[in-house]
Amino acid sequence: MTIYNLGSINSDYFYHLPNLPLAGETLAAHKYQCGMGGKGANMSVAASRGAARVMHIGSVGKDGLWAKNRLLEYGVDTRHITSGSTTGHALIMVDPSGENSIVIHPGANREITKEQIGSALSEASSGDLMLMQNETNQQAYAAKTAKDLGLKVIYAAAPFEAKSVADVLPYMDILVLNEIEAEQLEASSGQDLQNLGPDHIFVTLGSRGCKHFDKSQNKITHFDAISIKAVDTTGAGDTFTGYLVAGLDRGLNVEQSILLATRAAALMVTRHGTSDVIPDLKDIEDEFGAQFG
């Protein structure tokens, strides 16, 4: 099957600081680096490195053609990445413990057209997967179109926007979000997570692992995280989501897919960077000794 990912593509600018700045505080970075990122690009790379076939739907400016080429190098189909105004970018501040603060400018990520999405999905087959998050536009249109075509819709509710989530909620099969986003969704919807529409909901809990809500079985299962020393948590959630979707796409069951995603995210936090340092299956197998087909 194919994963169609309506996703952002950013230039990521990293500043490593002695602490995250307070209001009005000026700090000198002791290290700087630039690489490819954006939640969408991170998820596409993670899913591709998890051995899935990935078609990315997105947009970059002329200043971001290098990112499109890099996605192609990482095994992602880039035929439906168009040229827009200015490539989105993120300023990422990282402290010594690996915690971060991030400011994003969306740029071309918010210039995706319905025609572009329709063109990409014209190649889709029933049973393919439609993945998306909140750093682009046209999520509701893409979700409805994909659902009408028989695709399974997977939505990562980040960054959290109540209206965006509400617009996509009727079409979701799988929802992925972190603990804070889960609280925001419950507050904005007035409902407990398990009473919402998706068949499966995954809530990541950082160092405490994740929870899986299975609507069909009316069951909540907790999965432990892997204890590991983090140096940079940037992109860990995207890595988890990409690998989770890749596992499900390849026919792994939910437990196997979560185990794979958890190991990928654990290895990710030991590295500085985003898309360019997402581990591949061999890295995971070398580190943890398990094979995933």
Side-chain angles (χ1 to χ4, degrees):
M1 293 187 291
T2 300
I3 299 169
Y4 290 83
N5 182 16
L6 173 62
S8 56
I9 304 169
N10 286 341
S11 298
D12 280 355
Y13 303 104
F14 286 87
Y15 300 87
H16 297 267
L17 304 170
N19 56 270
L20 298 181
L22 303 173
E25 182 178 16
T26 300
L27 293 171
H30 56 79
K31 182 180 178 183
Y32 162 80
Q33 64 191 106
C34 176
M36 183 177 68
K39 288 184 175 297
N42 294 342
M43 291 177 193
S44 280
V45 172
S48 180
R49 288 184 168 170
R53 181 174 184 266
V54 183
M55 172 82 75
H56 195 100
I57 306 169
S59 183
V60 296
K62 291 182 179 179
D63 58 326
L65 293 178
W66 65 272
K68 180 178 178 180
N69 292 335
R70 191 165 295 178
L71 280 169
L72 186 62
E73 291 172 7
Y74 293 155
V76 177
D77 191 325
T78 62
R79 286 176 293 146
H80 294 283
I81 297 175
T82 60
S83 296
S85 58
T86 302
T87 304
H89 62 263
L91 303 181
I92 303 169
M93 296 169 284
V94 185
D95 74 8
S97 72
E99 290 299 324
N100 61 57
S101 292
I102 304 174
V103 177
I104 296 171
H105 174 67
N109 292 317
R110 294 292 174 96
E111 298 170 4
I112 297 168
T113 66
K114 292 179 179 178
E115 291 75 19
Q116 181 183 350
I117 294 167
S119 176
L121 292 182
S122 69
E123 304 175 26
S125 301
S126 179
D128 285 342
L129 306 181
M130 181 78 223
L131 173 63
M132 62 189 75
Q133 31 64 42
N134 274 341
E135 289 184 345
T136 70
N137 59 331
Q138 305 292 358
Q139 292 96 333
Y141 175 81
K144 183 181 185 305
T145 303
K147 194 74 171 179
D148 290 344
L149 292 171
L151 279 70
K152 184 172 290 186
V153 177
I154 303 170
Y155 184 81
F160 184 83
E161 297 174 2
K163 185 180 184 306
S164 296
V165 179
D167 288 345
V168 177
L169 192 59
Y171 313 109
M172 289 183 210
D173 295 289
I174 295 174
L175 172 62
V176 184
L177 64 177
N178 66 28
E179 192 171 19
I180 294 173
E181 292 154 0
E183 292 172 357
Q184 292 172 317
L185 179 55
E186 288 184 330
S188 65
S189 67
Q191 298 185 66
D192 293 336
L193 283 181
Q194 56 265 41
N195 295 327
L196 297 175
D199 297 329
H200 297 275
I201 300 176
F202 300 89
V203 180
T204 58
L205 307 171
S207 62
R208 294 182 288 113
C210 75
K211 288 191 293 188
H212 169 229
F213 296 76
D214 187 331
K215 189 173 183 179
S216 65
Q217 299 186 33
N218 193 28
K219 182 180 178 183
I220 303 173
T221 306
H222 180 266
F223 295 86
D224 290 332
I226 295 170
S227 179
I228 202 159
K229 181 175 174 55
V231 299
D232 186 354
T233 59
T234 311
D238 303 333
T239 300
F240 178 93
T241 301
Y243 263 93
L244 174 72
V245 176
L248 296 172
D249 175 71
R250 291 168 51 217
L252 301 182
N253 64 33
V254 168
E255 183 175 356
Q256 291 171 324
S257 297
I258 289 176
L259 178 60
L260 173 61
T262 299
R263 290 179 171 181
L267 197 51
M268 180 65 176
V269 301
T270 66
R271 303 174 173 191
H272 289 291
T274 41
S275 292
D276 298 309
V277 299
I278 291 173
D280 60 23
L281 278 175
K282 186 176 185 305
D283 294 332
I284 296 167
E285 291 167 2
D286 287 347
E287 180 70 22
F288 299 106
Q291 296 187 352
F292 295 92

